[in-house]
Every structure is written in structure tokens, then in C-alpha cells.
């Protein structure tokens, strides 16, 4: 994708509707959706196509297994796919179904063109066939019961009269194409795989079936139906109106960036360009093959039965969280293991702890220290502060260009990494400048304004930049920043540092990316997976997601006095307080609780300076089981109110004098 593009056309494979959608399907689709949003935001006329592959023996069998007509089966499945994708914020420009009449017209047109140009002939075919891949397989040796290596299911012998496409005539042309357009197949590893396949020689391929009834009839010979892969690949052009009268967008958008799984690279990087060349059409812009999502170390597939169910996924996670994970955790092009465990870790570290924390921290300080208005600092400022501010500005601006560069190479994880690196620089800048201290000194007000306006600018840039990846969260932050309109229509190229209207008021602050309770969520997911998954019912928007794992209350939320009495809370005085290396949030306290001095760890480091706590009267839960954190033991819990939106802790204390050790009842 290094070429400058005025229009942008991205496609996903069209999905077989023999079973429900799983995370593997969602993965490709949400990346395509992100790319379309990315280009649209930059003012590029973009088109994003996805859809369903509804023909072939496998679909016929799936319907037969359910005892319903094929059309009914495919209609139900398509609904399921569309609802699932919509629940993850996917907004395709068009959804193509291979059962659409215009598609049939287009496929038959393509067939006719190839036949007229002499690339199709009738012959006989016999071979081992995998109905799940819809492909004849080469079987080595004399295995009498060979299995498909992808699906681990028996192959079937198939012998039939068939029409063939003269693929063998395209070996040289394809090799020439890969040579002159080295970027056409990406990444490099897949290009090499394709090169070696084509260099090994190409045989003509069978492109019709007499045994399959649920297919598009071959023009002029309706005993045959068109092979599903011929039919399916054509979707990328029929959807734009090529070969049919329904749409007129072919000239505007073709050629496409095809995102596909590496499992189907051969169809897209060999057969498809050959069909197009044979028809005298332009070949794809790029075929980018990504890796497989693994579950338990094996490819996630409905046939292997190890899939992650998007319905369960959506029940516990917002679409932004899943989108972010797929783009950040998995290097696009490589296989990646999906676990709920690592998803929760990412959510907590990068979204709750990173972006969410930075934005609510910044906004809360603007609200508390600047009456909710974005400050406009005076020019005159110390050289030190000036240099720090400039460093932050450059870090953010660099992340904008690094993000662009990475996204243009489909290296999404690197793009996001660069944004989070800039975020860390902003966080450090805030912590070092300690605005909470500056706010105490009137003569340092200008410094405070420099710090907060800089942090605000950084968050504003991040919201714009991340909008294609986190459409809901970025818009929420945008609104809280007091910015109007949709962030998705603000191009990062037009962002001017400091270009915020003077005196902009921020809006109500709400936690955008709440922290998840890992243990509890994992338990709940397990229970959901064990229960029978309902057929459908995914929510439509982020707000439809239930709050992440709310703590279970007693049936009516009421406890007895005996239950309350079990909690022992005592008054204590902080003796010492210090930060813990590499634990940003924790302070190590020693607290005199009357009968002894206790070591207690408290997650308040972002909000309390250790020195300010010494001698402070606090409330400690003293009969909690000891807990280890960062290798240190905590013997109790300091009680604090959790103040919305960001859960800022405010320590409980007393206005009257109370002795250490006094019990709260
Ligand atoms: N119908 C064909 C594609 C025709 S395109 C002209 C097909 N369908 S499929 O439903 O079996 O899978 C299509 C795609 O889903 C894969 O190539 C890939 O993009 C995605 N994935 C399916 N399983 C996957 C994983 N486990 N991991 C990542 N993506 C996966 O093949």
C-alpha cells in the first residue's frame, strides 16, 4: 500500500455460511473495517466490501443436516453473520451474497468472457476432494483413506466431467507479475510461498461441477454448476457492478486491497489474478495474507470445534476492546493465539491504564484546577518547562507519522505501539511536572496551564488518531474534551497543535475504558461457555454491552449485621510511606493500628504523594488475609472512597481526634 491512492477499496473473503461466524471471520473483517475508517478519515473515497459465500456442496449439506431448505439456511446464517459483525462496530459499504441475482449475472458474464477468449474447455476430472476446502487435494503415496491436512477430515474421491480453466497458460505471466509488482502479494513470506508454488508449474483447474446442484449454472450447459471458488472470487468485481447492471462502481474503485487468511492465499494470489488477466482486467492492488488466530495452539475453525464464539465475546467485552486487541496483540501477517486472559490484560494495561487513565486524569485536573476550561498559558515560561512541552509535542507528532506509516504497511500493532509510546511520554511529563503541586502555588499557575494544555492537546491528538481502531471510545473522549462533531471526520493531517478554541469547556467526565476484574470475568466466561450458547442476540452498540463483571451481590444486596461484623476496620496512623519501584500505582505504607505496626500496600500512588501521608489518620481493614503484590506482603487495606469517573481514591479519615486501634462499627 505504498502507492498513493485517491480511492481505496478493501475486501474481506466472503464467508461460508455452513456454520455460525467465529472470531476468525470477525478478525479479518474488523481489520478491513478499521482500514476503511482510516482512509475515510483522511478524506479518501473508500469502499469496504464483505459478504457471504453461500453456494456449494458444503452449504447444501449443512442445510440438509438441519432438515431445512438451503435458501432458508443461508438466509438465517447471513442474518447471524451480519448481526455479529454489526455488534463489533463493523460498517461495510456493501454486503455481497453469492445468492444475489446481480452476482450470478456477473459470474456468468466472467465465464462467458473467459470462454470466448478460449480459456475454458471441457474435460474429465478425478481426484481427492475436500468438501470443506472445496478443493481437490494432492495426496502423496498410496494412502487409501487420506485426510485433509487443514480440516483433519477424510477426503472424498470425486470423478466427473468438468470444465477447466487454462491456468497452465499463466505461469509465466504470473511470475512476471510477482517480479514487476513485488508488493502485490504480502507479506514477504507469503510472496515466497506463492512464487515457489507457481514456479513449480501450474496445472489447469477444474471450474465446474455436475455433482453440485446448489450453484450458479454454467452458461449454455446447465447440467454443470460453476465451481464455488470461481463464483466466490468474482464477488470482488461483481459487487462493484462488473458484468451486471446493478451497480456502476467498478471503474471508480477497482483494483482492491484483498485481506485474506493465509489459508486461502493461493486462490487469491494465483487463480484470481489469472482469471482477471484472462478476462483482460486489472489485477488486484495487493493481496495481503494474515495469519491464523489460534485457540489452544491450533487454527480456530468450526470444523475443528475450537472456536471463540463472538456472542460470548461480545457479552463480556465491548467492540472497542476486541478491535484493539486484534490489532495490537496480533502482528498482522503472523499467527496469534487468542486467549481471554491476554485480552483482559491488554484491556487493563493499555486501555484502562493507558488511554483511559491519561484522558480522565487530564480532564479531571482541568476540571479541578482550571474550572473545567482548557487553559491558555502565557508565552513567558521557564526554559525547562518549554523544553519539556516541546518534547511531548514532538513525541505526539512523531506518533502521528509513525502510525500512518505503519498502517500503510498493514503493520497495525507497530502503529499502535508508537501511539502508546507517546502516551507513556505524556504520562511521564505529567508525573514529573506534578500539576497537583503546581496547583497549590499561585505563582506557578502558568506552569500548571502549560502542563494541562499540553496534556489536553496530546489526548485530543490520540482521540483523532485512534478513532478508526476505537470508534466508540475515541468519540466519547472527543465529546468529553469539549470538541464538537464526529472525531471520525477529523483528519489527523489537519490537526494543528494548540489549535483549540480559547476557553473551550470540557464536558462531563466519564470512565471510557473501565478496568476489568480478571478473575471474576474469567469465571463468568467459563460459565457462559459451559452453558448452551443462544443462537443469536448480540447487542448492536458498545453501550449494549453489560458492565464488565459487576461483583456478585447477595441475592437482594442486603447483608446481616453478623456478616458486617466480620469485617474488622480500625483507625491507624501512617508512619512511613514510599513508592515501590516499577509499580506506578502502589505505595508501601506502615501503619500504626494501636496493637502493632502493619505493612499495607495501597493503590493510591497516582493521587497521593508519599510524604503527604506521613502522620495521617486512616482507616484500615485489619482482618483481611495477607496478600502479595510485587513481591511485597500487604497486611490489610486502607479504606478510600472511589470517586467517579476515574475511580480516584480519596482516603477515609476523621475530623475529630481518634486513638489508633479504635474499631469502626
Ligand atoms: N468462502 C471462502 C473464501 C472465499 S473468498 C473469495 C472461505 N471462507 S471461510 O469462511 O472458510 O473463511 C474465510 C476467511 O475467514 C479466512 O481466510 C480468514 O480470512 C478467516 N478465518 C477463518 N478462520 C480463521 C482463523 N482461525 N484465524 C484468522 N482468520 C480466519 O474460505
Amino acid at each position: 500500500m505504498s502507492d498513493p491512492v485517491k480511492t481505496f477499496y478493501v475486501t474481506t473473503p466472503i464467508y461460508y455460511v455452513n456454520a455460525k461466524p467465529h472470531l476468525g471471520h470477525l478478525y479479518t473483517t474488523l481489520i478491513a473495517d478499521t482500514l476503511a475508517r482510516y482512509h475515510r478519515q483522511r478524506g479518501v473515497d473508500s469502499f469496504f466490501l464483505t459478504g457471504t459465500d453461500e453456494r456449494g456442496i458444503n452449504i447444501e449439506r449443512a442445510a440438509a443436516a438441519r432438515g431445512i431448505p438451503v435458501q432458508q439456511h443461508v438466509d438465517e446464517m447471513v442474518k447471524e453473520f451480519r448481526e455479529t459483525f454489526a455488534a463489533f462496530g463493523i460498517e461495510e459499504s456493501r454486503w455481497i451474497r453469492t445468492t444475489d441475482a446481480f452476482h450470478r449475472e456477473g459470474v456468468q458474464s466472467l465465464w462467458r468472457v473467459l470462454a470466448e477468449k478460449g480459456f475454458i474447455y471441457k474435460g474429465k476430472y478425478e481426484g481427492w476432494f475436500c468438501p470443506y476446502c472445496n478443493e481437490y487435494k494432492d495426496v502423496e503415496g498410496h494412502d487409501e483413506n487420506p485426510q485433509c491436512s487443514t480440516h483433519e477430515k477424510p477426503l472424498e474421491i470425486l470423478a466427473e466431467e468438468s470444465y477447466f480453466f487454462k491456468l497452465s497458460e499463466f505461469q509465466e505471466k504470473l511470475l512476471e507479475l510477482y517480479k514487476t509488482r513485488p508488493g502485490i502479494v504480502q507479506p514477504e513470506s507469503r510472496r515466497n510461498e506463492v512464487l515457489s508454488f507457481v514456479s513449480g508449474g501450474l496445472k489447469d483447474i477444474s471450474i465446474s461441477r455436475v455433482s453440485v446442484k446448489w450453484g450458479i449454472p454454467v452458461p449454455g450447459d446447465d447440467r454443470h454448476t460453476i465451481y464455488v471458488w470461481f463464483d466466490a472470487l468474482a464477488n470482488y468485481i461483481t459487487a462493484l457492478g462488473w458484468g451486471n447492471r446493478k451497480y456502476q462502481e467498478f471503474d471508480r474503485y477497482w483494483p482492491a486491497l484483498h485481506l485474506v487468511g493465509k489459508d486461502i492465499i493461493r486462490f487469491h494470489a494465483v487463480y484470481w489474478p489469472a482469471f482477471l488477466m484472462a478476462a483482460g482486467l486489472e489485477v488486484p492492488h495487493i493481496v495481503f495474507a494474515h495469519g491464523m488466530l489460534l485457540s489452544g495452539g491450533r487454527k480456530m475453525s468450526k470444523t475443528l470445534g475450537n472456536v471463540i464464539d463472538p456472542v460470548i465475546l461480545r457479552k463480556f467485552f465491548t467492540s472497542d476492546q476486541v478491535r484493539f486487541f486484534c490489532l495490537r496483540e496480533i502482528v498482522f501477517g503472523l499467527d496469534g493465539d487468542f486467549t481471554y486472559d491476554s485480552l483482559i490484560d491488554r484491556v487493563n494495561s493499555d486501555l484502562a491504564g493507558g488511554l483511559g487513565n491519561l484522558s480522565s486524569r487530564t480532564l479531571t485536573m482541568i476540571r479541578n484546577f482550571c474550572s473545567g476550561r482548557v487553559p491558555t498559558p502565557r508565552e513567558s515560561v521557564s526554559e525547562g518547562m518549554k523544553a519539556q512541552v516541546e518534547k511531548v509535542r514532538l513525541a505526539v507528532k512523531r506518533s502521528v507519522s509513525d502510525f500512518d506509516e505503519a498502517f500503510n504497511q498493514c503493520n497495525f500493532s507497530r502503529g499502535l505501539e508508537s501511539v502508546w509510546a507517546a502516551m507513556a511520554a505524556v504520562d511521564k511529563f505529567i508525573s514529573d511536572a506534578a500539576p497537583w503541586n503546581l496547583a497549590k502555588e499561585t505563582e506557578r499557575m502558568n506552569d500548571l496551564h502549560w502542563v494541562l494544555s499540553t496534556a489536553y492537546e496530546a489526548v485530543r491528538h490520540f482521540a483523532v488518531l485512534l478513532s478508526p481502531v476505537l470508534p466508540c471510545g475515541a468519540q466519547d473522549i472527543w465529546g468529553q474534551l469539549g470538541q464538537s462533531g464526529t472525531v471520525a471526520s477529523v483528519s489527523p493531517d489537519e490537526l494543528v497543535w494548540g489549535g483549540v478554541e480559547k476557553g473551550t469547556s470540557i464536558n462531563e467526565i466519564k470512565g471510557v475504558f473501565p478496568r476489568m476484574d480478571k478473575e471474576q470475568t474469567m469465571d463468568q466466561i467459563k460459565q457462559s461457555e459451559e452453558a448452551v450458547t443462544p443462537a443469536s442476540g448480540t447487542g448492536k452498540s458498545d453501550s449494549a454491552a453489560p458492565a464488565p463483571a459487576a461483583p456478585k451481590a447477595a441475592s437482594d444486596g442486603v447483608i446481616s449485621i453478623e456478616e458486617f461484623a466480620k469485617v474488622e476496620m480500625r483507625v491507624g496512623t501512617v508512619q512511613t510511606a514510599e513508592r515501590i519501584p516499577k509499580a506506578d500505582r502502589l505505595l508501601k505504607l506502615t501503619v500504626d493500628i494501636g496493637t502493632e505496626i502493619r505493612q499495607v500496600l495501597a493503590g493510591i500512588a497516582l493521587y497521593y504523594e508519599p510524604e503527604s501521608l506521613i502522620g495521617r489518620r486512616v482507616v484500615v481493614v485489619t482482618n483481611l488475609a495477607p496478600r502479595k503484590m510485587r513481591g511485597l506482603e500487604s497486611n490489610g487495606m486502607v479504606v478510600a472512597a472511589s470517586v467517579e469517573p476515574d475511580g480516584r481514591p480519596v482516603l477515609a479519615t476523621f475530623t475529630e481526634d481518634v486513638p489508633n486501634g479504635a474499631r469502626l462499627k
Side-chain angles (χ1 to χ4, degrees), residues 12-18 22-25 27-28 53 81 132 151 229 232-236 259-264 268 290-294 298-302:
T12 72
I14 46 172
Y15 302 105
Y16 286 135
V17 288
N18 48 332
H22 63 70
L23 182 59
H25 305 128
Y27 177 61
T28 324
D53 195 351
F81 267 85
Y132 300 97
H151 293 98
W229 269 102
L233 288 163
N235 93 88
Y236 300 129
L259 300 182
V260 300
K262 67 177 185 187
D263 52 337
I264 53 174
H268 286 82
H290 62 72
M292 291 293 115
L293 287 193
L294 311 175
R298 298 169 85 199
K299 179 190 164 187
M300 202 180 285
S301 107
K302 39 202 170 197

Side-chain angles (χ1 to χ4, degrees), residues 240-372:
L240 299 179
W242 187 89
N244 65 68
R245 286 153 295 178
K246 174 128 180 162
Y247 301 111
Q248 278 83 35
E249 286 141 336
F250 180 74
D251 293 336
R252 178 162 160 200
Y253 291 114
W254 185 255
L257 159 65
H258 294 311
L259 300 182
V260 300
K262 67 177 185 187
D263 52 337
I264 53 174
I265 183 74
R266 191 179 296 177
F267 295 98
H268 286 82
V270 182
Y271 301 173
W272 180 226
F275 293 159
L276 289 164
M277 287 197 264
L281 296 170
E282 210 178 321
V283 294
H285 180 45
I286 290 171
V287 177
F288 199 113
H290 62 72
M292 291 293 115
L293 287 193
L294 311 175
S295 167
R298 298 169 85 199
K299 179 190 164 187
M300 202 180 285
S301 107
K302 39 202 170 197
T303 326
L304 296 178
N306 61 345
V307 298
I308 296 284
D309 181 347
V311 176
I312 295 186
L313 186 63
R314 187 63 185 81
K315 195 167 151 195
F316 294 96
F317 299 88
T318 66
S319 64
D320 275 8
Q321 290 170 335
V322 176
R323 295 170 72 99
F324 179 74
F325 179 82
C326 288
L327 282 127
R328 173 63 186 86
E329 182 88 3
I330 299 151
V331 177
F332 197 62
L334 302 182
D335 290 353
D337 216 25
F338 177 92
T339 62
Y340 283 115
D341 205 74
S342 42
L343 170 55
I344 298 174
D345 284 346
R346 268 283 167 217
V347 165
N348 284 344
S349 65
D350 291 11
L351 294 181
L355 180 60
N357 181 55
L358 175 64
S359 116
S360 61
R361 196 181 180 199
T362 304
L363 289 164
T364 305
M365 289 190 285
I366 292 179
R367 183 191 61 196
N368 294 351
F369 305 147
C370 307
S371 325

